[in-house]
Amino acid sequence: MENPKHLEIVEHLKDHLTVSSELENMVALFKALGDVTRVRIILALAESTLSVTELTEVLDLNQSTVSHQLSLLKQQNLVKGTRNGKNIHYELSDRHIMTIVDQVKAHVLEH
Amino acid sequence: MENPKHLEIVEHLKDHLTVSSELENMVALFKALGDVTRVRIILALAESTLSVTELTEVLDLNQSTVSHQLSLLKQQNLVKGTRNGKNIHYELSDRHIMTIVDQVKAHVLEH
DNA sequence: TTAAGATATGCACATATGTTGATATGTATT
DNA sequence: AATACATATCAACATATGTGCATATCTTAA
């Protein structure tokens, strides 16, 4: 493992692994999905558009908690809400998210 | 949105969204990837097997920090290390991980 | 067996994070 | 305008997390 080629790669990595904003955005996305409450919200919205109150009931959570986590998910462009009268209907802002979630689920099931 | 079908779905979700160990494992995986240092380690190991010391140099981190995060990544079955004399060569325990990382990268670049 | 290099671990600290109660804001109904 | 319902926000707290120092453990070389 101490051959020239390896040293070359190691040298190369020093430049390649700087903390870019792209990296930070990726980490922010992972972090957003790294919480049970938020993933449960995602999974719920994957099946149906839901209001905050409905999410509160379905997930058996505090209304304040749901609002807080929704705002965090909104910041990461994972969900979006549209107002309908008194209610706000939340939905996944991007179906692509579920690809990632499903991939992780598949990975977990293999272990 | 107040039709019977919607109510039916909402009813169904209550059972469907319990906090299973499968869910917790998924969240644990996301959480493991929700840190800049750990993702940098993953990205480095994606390109080459590396010892702890090499990771320390390449990523410009404290040796203790690298060891701590490696042990966390090991717990999640993301990396594995094999001893070679004084060194321990770390590598990704599963190429499949990169599929997830790449997917997230792609998603981030679309925004 | 002693010394030196490589890695892991325990501890402490600062910071980040998730939750909740209280309250504010927005919206429709009367 | 007053009330009630839905959602968001603020402040505070408890807990979780990442890092680094000091030190322990393991391995090889002398």
Side-chain angles (χ1 to χ4, degrees), chain B residues 51-53 63-64 67-68 86-88 90:
Chain B
S51 71
V52 177
T53 303
Q63 180 268 317
S64 175
S67 267
H68 275 298
K86 279 190 274 192
N87 301 321
I88 297 181
Y90 275 93

Side-chain angles (χ1 to χ4, degrees), chain B:
Chain B
M1 199 53 70
E2 307 303 344
N3 56 67
K5 188 166 184 185
H6 184 64
L7 288 176
E8 210 177 286
I9 293 173
V10 171
E11 250 344 281
H12 170 67
L13 284 178
K14 292 187 187 176
D15 308 321
H16 191 265
L17 295 169
T18 58
V19 184
S20 63
S21 69
E22 178 188 321
L23 174 60
E24 285 184 335
N25 287 336
M26 288 174 58
V27 168
L29 215 183
F30 278 125
K31 206 173 287 192
L33 295 173
D35 175 76
V36 175
T37 300
R38 288 193 292 271
V39 172
R40 286 176 80 213
I41 291 175
I42 298 283
L43 292 176
L45 297 180
E47 302 212 25
S48 172
T49 294
L50 295 167
S51 71
V52 177
T53 303
E54 284 173 329
L55 277 169
T56 301
E57 291 169 355
V58 164
L59 302 178
D60 192 29
L61 292 170
N62 194 292
Q63 180 268 317
S64 175
T65 299
V66 174
S67 267
H68 275 298
Q69 303 300 12
L70 278 175
S71 105
L72 205 155
L73 291 171
K74 239 187 307 183
Q75 279 188 322
Q76 291 303 315
N77 278 301
L78 294 175
V79 306
K80 67 180 174 193
T82 56
R83 176 150 236 145
N84 271 51
K86 279 190 274 192
N87 301 321
I88 297 181
H89 291 326
Y90 275 93
E91 62 186 319
L92 298 185
S93 62
D94 187 348
R95 279 275 133 203
H96 196 256
I97 306 295
M98 290 314 292
T99 312
I100 295 167
V101 173
D102 289 340
Q103 199 106 32
V104 168
K105 183 187 284 185
H107 185 266
V108 161
L109 288 176
E110 284 172 19
H111 283 270

Side-chain angles (χ1 to χ4, degrees), chain A residues 51-53 63-64 67-68 86-88 90:
Chain A
S51 71
V52 177
T53 302
Q63 180 268 317
S64 176
S67 266
H68 273 298
K86 279 191 275 193
N87 300 322
I88 297 180
Y90 276 93

